[in-house]
């Protein structure tokens, strides 16, 4: 049958099982939005307050559900406003498809009104991108984009469609999309080498990254850990792949990781790295990282092998497939003496905070207590992000959504909207600092408009907390441009946008009012006033080895 390009866009989204699109309309994409209107009973459109919010919402939807997130934007500034969200997804390997529309084909390259080479701009931050200049290529391009976004190491794909292509007609034939399955290919000699390294290890440690979450390998990982009989640490992106309540779990690794994990990895003789990329925030001084250990890396992306840290052996393949292969042949190991030493570290170096006053750690622990660890936690970037990683115990994958690679302030609110739309049965809480909340707080209006009942917790210290912490420790307390000493009232702002606004200043108030927020079924903003000099502990200084982690007690010695 003959369809316009706009009709083909919608039909192809339906083929892919897309039920939600996040976006913002404009002239160039108007044909697509007109067609979307006719299919509003099949595809829900969430109109965000800003295109960046749409990209983050698509990202949050993808992280929470495991599906491909989709966002729309028009040409020019509409398209460029997606860039930060696309880059965020790219750094964290999140599958989204961003569809933009541009000026007509005959107007391309002429500096036409709201023309921008969005394909060129996003080339370094997408897995692939397309500009479709012939309507005959449109359906196949959209199908290809979804395959690319999901296949192998996931990531964002952009499709740019000139406006006349959305109006032109061509023959369309519906295609039945097959369920995507990961590749089963693994090099057998690599599996043999991995098994040999594990069998010879006396002090193994397992480091879990985001790849274990993305591949859905939690059950295989759990079996692997128990067979290896090793302690487990993780990155920000790896949270929930292995349960944080398990005795073998020792907390996060790296700059704000636990002393137990940092010391243990520094002393182990085998580090098994499962779907992690050796970020500088994890390794500290890379030359001193795990210097006593052989390193076995398991990753779907061969480009990650020996990129940041030299490894001993590597297995390239889908994490779940690789772990299944290892589990089938791996004999039960026993490292009780090593485990006892690590457990001694856990007892000696617990995470601590000041219990008398309202603090970030208390807020996170109280959220954990009241939600019984079953909420979907989203964060912005900064001190609150680290506290959310340290003090909430994640037992399931896809329950901690955060910008790990790009570190995007303003990510969390949009992402929480996408997560709640994708998982309406879950309690979704975005934890933000006041600096981050300011960046995209206009998306509270989106939550109200679409009746998306997220809870926004603002850990408000009236400063850019993480930057101030660095200034305090390493810049002789020169607080350049980090003090937010203005009269912005988040409670009044929330109320002005139609949400419930609540201010708390004590632990008792937070416990009472957060419990209330859980019952309201409405968008809620909790403005939580804490001290401007609360810090994230432990910490590793820039350029130092992770074995040199220090905390508040060390500072007082």
């Amino acid at each position: 049958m003959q369809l316009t390009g706009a009709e083909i866009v919608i039909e192809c989204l339906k083929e892919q099982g897309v039920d939600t699109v996040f976006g913002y309309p404009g002239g160039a994409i108007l044909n697509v939005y007109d067609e979307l209107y006719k299919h509003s009973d099949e595809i829900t459109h969430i109109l965000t307050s800003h295109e960046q919010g749409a990209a983050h919402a698509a990202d949050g939807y993808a992280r929470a559900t495991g599906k491909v997130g989709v966002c729309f934007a028009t040409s020019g500034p509409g398209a460029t406003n997606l860039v930060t969200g696309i880059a965020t997804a790219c750094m964290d390997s999140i599958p989204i498809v961003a569809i933009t529309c541009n000026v007509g084909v005959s107007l391309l390259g002429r500096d036409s009104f709201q023309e921008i080479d969005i394909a060129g701009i996003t080339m370094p931050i997408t897995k692939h991108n397309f500009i479709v200049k012939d309507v005959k290529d449109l359906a196949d391009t959209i199908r290809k984009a979804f395959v690319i976004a999901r296949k192998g190491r996931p990531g964002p794909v952009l499709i740019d469609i000139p406006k006349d292509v959305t109006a032109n007609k061509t023959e369309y034939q519906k295609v039945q999309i097959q369920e995507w399955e990961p590749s089963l290919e693994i090099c057998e000699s690599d599996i043999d080498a991995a098994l040999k390294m594990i069998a010879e290890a006396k002090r193994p440690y397992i480091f879990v990254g985001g790849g274990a979450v993305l591949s859905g390998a939690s059950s295989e990982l759990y079996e692997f850990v128990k067979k290896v009989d090793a302690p487990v640490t993780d990155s920000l992106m790896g949270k929930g792949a292995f349960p944080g309540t398990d005795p073998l779990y020792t907390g996060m690794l790296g700059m704000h990781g636990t002393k137990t994990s940092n010391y243990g990895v520094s002393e182990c003789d085998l580090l098994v790295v499962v779907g992690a990329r050796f970020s500088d925030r994890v390794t500290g001084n890379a030359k001193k990282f795990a210097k006593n250990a052989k390193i076995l890396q398991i990753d779907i992306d061969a480009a990650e092998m020996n990129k940041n840290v030299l490894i001993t052996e590597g297995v390239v393949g889908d994490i779940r497939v690789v772990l299944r292969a290892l589990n089938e042949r791996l004999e039960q190991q026993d490292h009780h003496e090593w485990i006892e030493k690590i457990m001694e570290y856990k007892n000696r170096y617990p995470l601590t905070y000041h219990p008398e006053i309202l603090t970030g750690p208390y807020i996170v622990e109280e959220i954990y207590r009241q939600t019984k660890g079953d909420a979907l936690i989203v964060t912005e970037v900064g001190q609150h992000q680290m506290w959310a990683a340290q003090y909430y115990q994640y037992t399931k994958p896809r329950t901690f959504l955060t910008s790990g690679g790009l570190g995007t302030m303003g990510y969390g609110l949009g992402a929480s909207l996408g997560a709640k739309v994708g998982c309406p049965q879950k309690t979704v809480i975005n934890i933000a600092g006041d600096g981050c909340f300011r960046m995209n707080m206009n998306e509270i209006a989106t939550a109200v408009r679409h009746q998306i009942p997220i809870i926004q917790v603002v850990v408000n210290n009236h400063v850019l907390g993480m930057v101030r912490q660095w200034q305090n420790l390493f810049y002789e307390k020169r607080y350049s441009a980090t003090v937010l000493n203005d009269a912005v009232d988040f409670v009044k702002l929330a109320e002005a946008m139609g949400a419930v606004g609540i201010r708390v200043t004590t632990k008792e108030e937070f416990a009472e009012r957060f419990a209330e927020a859980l019952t309201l079924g409405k968008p809620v903003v909790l403005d939580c006033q804490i001290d401007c000099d609360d810090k994230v502990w432990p910490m590793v200084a820039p350029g130092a080895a992770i074995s040199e982690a220090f905390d508040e007690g060390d500072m007082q010695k």
Side-chain angles (χ1 to χ4, degrees):
M1 56 181 165
Q2 289 277 316
L3 295 182
T4 67
E7 291 171 325
I8 289 170
V9 169
I10 302 305
E11 290 301 322
C12 284
L13 293 183
K14 287 161 57 179
E15 284 179 3
Q16 299 290 337
V18 173
D19 53 24
T20 306
V21 171
F22 307 89
Y24 205 95
I29 201 170
L30 205 52
N31 291 335
V32 175
Y33 268 87
D34 188 55
E35 192 59 33
L36 181 64
Y37 179 86
K38 302 170 188 175
H39 294 267
S40 57
D41 58 333
E42 298 168 282
I43 299 177
T44 298
H45 179 266
I46 303 296
L47 175 63
T48 55
S49 298
H50 190 283
E51 291 90 352
Q52 185 179 340
H56 292 325
D59 174 302
Y61 178 94
R63 294 192 202 222
T65 65
K67 302 176 184 177
V68 178
V70 179
C71 57
F72 283 177
T74 195
S75 62
T80 57
N81 283 344
L82 294 179
V83 167
T84 298
I86 293 171
T88 301
C90 183
M91 288 288 280
D92 290 345
S93 303
I94 306 303
I96 68 171
V97 171
I99 295 177
T100 58
C101 287
N102 216 323
V103 300
V105 173
S106 64
L107 297 175
L108 290 172
R110 297 176 180 271
D111 294 331
S112 304
F113 176 68
Q114 289 194 334
E115 178 199 355
I116 198 75
D117 179 12
I118 192 63
I121 288 171
T122 59
M123 190 174 294
I125 55 169
T126 52
K127 275 189 76 177
H128 198 81
N129 59 33
F130 304 88
I131 179 164
V132 183
K133 296 182 180 180
D134 188 331
V135 70
K136 294 176 183 176
D137 301 326
L138 183 56
D140 284 345
T141 300
I142 294 172
R143 292 164 187 151
K144 190 182 297 183
F146 276 83
V147 171
I148 293 170
R150 290 191 303 253
K151 189 176 181 181
R153 182 176 182 168
V157 179
L158 179 131
I159 309 168
D160 192 35
I161 313 169
K163 184 171 183 178
D164 51 348
V165 174
T166 67
N168 295 340
K169 287 190 173 184
T170 192
E171 191 67 24
Y172 164 81
Q173 191 164 14
K174 184 176 180 179
V175 171
Q176 188 69 37
I177 304 299
Q178 295 182 337
E179 192 70 26
W180 178 81
E181 291 291 338
S183 171
L184 301 179
E185 293 182 12
I186 316 171
C187 178
E188 281 300 316
S189 62
D190 290 344
I191 294 292
D192 292 337
L195 291 167
K196 184 173 185 291
M197 290 178 73
I198 294 168
E200 292 175 350
K202 304 297 183 187
R203 302 185 308 280
Y205 225 108
I206 298 172
F207 171 41
V208 180
V213 173
L214 295 172
S215 64
S218 292
S219 60
E220 290 81 2
L221 175 64
Y222 188 84
E223 180 183 351
F224 179 72
V225 168
K226 297 301 179 178
K227 278 196 167 185
V228 177
D229 192 33
V232 179
T233 182
D234 57 17
S235 68
L236 269 179
M237 301 306 301
K239 291 284 171 193
F242 185 81
T245 52
D246 191 278
L248 289 175
Y249 179 70
T250 62
M252 193 166 60
L253 184 66
M255 179 173 282
H256 293 295
T258 63
K259 283 188 173 183
T260 301
S261 292
N262 285 345
Y263 293 170
V265 166
S266 298
E267 295 172 18
C268 71
D269 67 357
L270 173 65
L271 182 63
V272 183
V273 183
V274 183
R277 59 186 178 84
F278 294 113
S279 162
D280 57 293
R281 289 299 172 102
V282 162
T283 63
N285 187 326
K287 293 179 181 177
K288 298 179 180 180
F289 179 74
K291 61 183 179 182
N292 298 308
K294 294 180 179 178
I295 298 178
L296 169 62
Q297 185 174 6
I298 304 169
D299 204 283
I300 199 167
D301 188 353
E304 289 298 337
M305 304 293 175
N306 295 308
K307 186 176 83 174
N308 294 328
V309 170
L310 292 177
I311 65 172
T312 311
E313 297 286 350
V315 183
V316 177
D318 181 87
I319 301 295
R320 183 167 55 173
V321 174
V322 172
L323 290 179
R324 282 177 180 171
L326 289 171
N327 289 338
E328 287 174 3
R329 295 168 55 183
L330 184 60
E331 295 182 5
Q332 182 63 50
Q333 307 294 302
D334 181 3
H335 301 109
H336 65 275
E337 291 184 6
W338 170 238
I339 297 292
E340 286 176 7
K341 180 176 183 179
I342 298 301
M343 294 305 107
E344 181 187 334
Y345 280 165
K346 279 184 74 171
N347 291 329
R348 193 189 310 173
Y349 304 117
L351 292 171
T352 60
Y353 61 90
H354 296 287
E356 321 82 42
I357 58 174
L358 184 65
T359 63
Y362 168 79
I363 289 168
V364 174
E365 284 197 333
E366 185 62 18
I367 291 172
Y368 176 77
R369 187 185 70 79
Q370 292 199 27
T371 60
K372 299 179 174 60
D374 195 37
L376 202 161
I377 302 296
V378 190
T379 79
E380 305 287 349
V381 172
Q383 289 179 317
H384 61 277
Q385 177 190 35
M386 296 298 107
W387 289 324
Q390 292 173 329
Y391 289 94
Y392 199 99
Q393 298 180 65
Y394 302 92
T395 58
K396 298 175 184 175
R398 301 190 182 279
T399 55
F400 180 62
L401 314 186
T402 195
S403 173
L406 196 63
T408 305
M409 294 175 69
Y411 164 80
L413 183 49
S416 68
L417 299 179
K420 183 63 177 178
V421 170
C423 303
Q425 76 286 357
K426 298 286 288 187
T427 297
V428 177
I429 300 154
N430 182 46
I431 302 176
D434 49 319
C436 290
F437 181 59
R438 291 160 181 261
M439 292 201 167
N440 283 324
M441 60 188 176
N442 50 0
E443 298 305 341
I444 290 294
T446 305
V448 173
R449 180 189 303 118
H450 292 281
Q451 299 181 330
I452 305 171
I454 54 99
I455 298 175
Q456 170 67 64
V457 175
V458 183
V459 182
N460 189 353
N461 54 10
H462 300 278
V463 294
L464 299 179
M466 187 61 85
V467 186
R468 180 184 176 92
Q469 177 167 332
W470 279 51
Q471 289 172 333
N472 182 284
L473 295 175
F474 309 120
Y475 290 84
E476 299 178 347
K477 300 184 180 180
R478 293 187 294 274
Y479 300 124
S480 176
T482 52
V483 179
L484 306 177
N485 55 349
D486 48 36
V488 176
D489 187 326
F490 293 143
V491 172
K492 289 181 179 178
L493 277 169
E495 292 171 346
M497 288 188 277
V500 177
I502 300 170
R503 182 175 292 107
V504 299
T505 59
T506 67
K507 292 169 60 178
E508 295 74 19
E509 282 180 343
F510 179 78
E512 179 183 346
R513 302 309 298 273
F514 181 75
E516 177 188 345
L518 287 172
T519 68
L520 292 177
K522 299 178 181 179
V524 178
V525 176
L526 276 159
D527 180 11
C528 308
Q529 304 281 321
I530 71 165
D531 187 85
C532 66
D533 279 318
D534 277 2
K535 293 181 176 62
V536 179
W537 301 113
M539 184 172 187
V540 176
I546 60 171
S547 58
E548 299 172 49
F550 63 95
D551 56 24
E552 189 173 23
D554 297 319
M555 294 285 291
Q556 295 169 353
K557 291 178 182 177

